[in-house]
Amino acid sequence: MFADRMREDRALDAARPGIIDEWLSGWRDSRMLRVLAEAGSKLFAPGKSLYFRLGQGKYLALTGVRYCRVTCAKGVVWVTASGDGRDRVLTPGQSLTLGNAGKVVISGRGESSEVKVRWD
């Protein structure tokens, strides 16, 4: 019994990171989060837009969506926004303006659908 306890202690000590390891991992994680937040703020800033090609059954999920316009460029796309209560089907040339939707799922219908998402 005593030998098992010593073996457990050695295993736990080996698995436990040291103070420097914890500090480095915390610094790395916070730096990575800061870089990702900066990149996201530049990408999803007003006036920026993204263009996607979605095939049959493929979808695009966006979270934290605020004031964006979804425009169908080609094919047919299906747009579902949280808090909206209904789904929208857009054909080429049609667009949908979303206020404070939170989460939006855009899926392609047909062989190749193209959609543009622009933040206003």
Side-chain angles (χ1 to χ4, degrees):
M1 181 173 153
F2 185 68
D4 291 337
R5 178 74 178 160
M6 287 177 36
R7 188 173 38 219
E8 288 176 8
D9 288 344
R10 278 195 304 267
L12 287 175
D13 282 340
R16 196 175 309 146
I19 294 172
I20 294 175
D21 292 331
E22 285 191 26
W23 180 78
L24 286 175
S25 67
W27 178 78
R28 183 187 65 236
D29 293 343
S30 66
R31 183 167 183 256
M32 182 183 299
L33 291 175
R34 190 171 52 248
V35 167
L36 288 174
E38 288 173 8
S41 66
K42 290 177 185 174
L43 181 64
F44 301 117
K48 298 287 184 175
S49 62
L50 297 173
Y51 196 79
F52 297 97
R53 182 172 295 144
L54 302 169
Q56 174 70 28
K58 301 295 181 185
Y59 67 92
L60 168 71
L62 302 169
T63 56
V65 175
R66 302 177 84 158
Y67 307 107
C68 72
R69 177 182 300 269
V70 178
T71 305
C72 178
K74 180 181 174 187
V76 178
V77 294
W78 183 4
V79 182
T80 303
S82 64
D84 190 9
R86 57 188 164 148
D87 298 342
R88 311 282 174 99
V89 176
L90 303 177
T91 57
Q94 291 184 327
S95 64
L96 172 65
T97 302
L98 300 170
N100 205 2
K103 183 172 183 178
V104 176
V105 178
I106 304 167
S107 62
R109 297 286 175 233
E111 287 301 314
S112 120
S113 301
E114 296 177 4
V115 64
K116 180 180 177 182
V117 180
R118 179 176 175 83
W119 284 265
D120 295 327

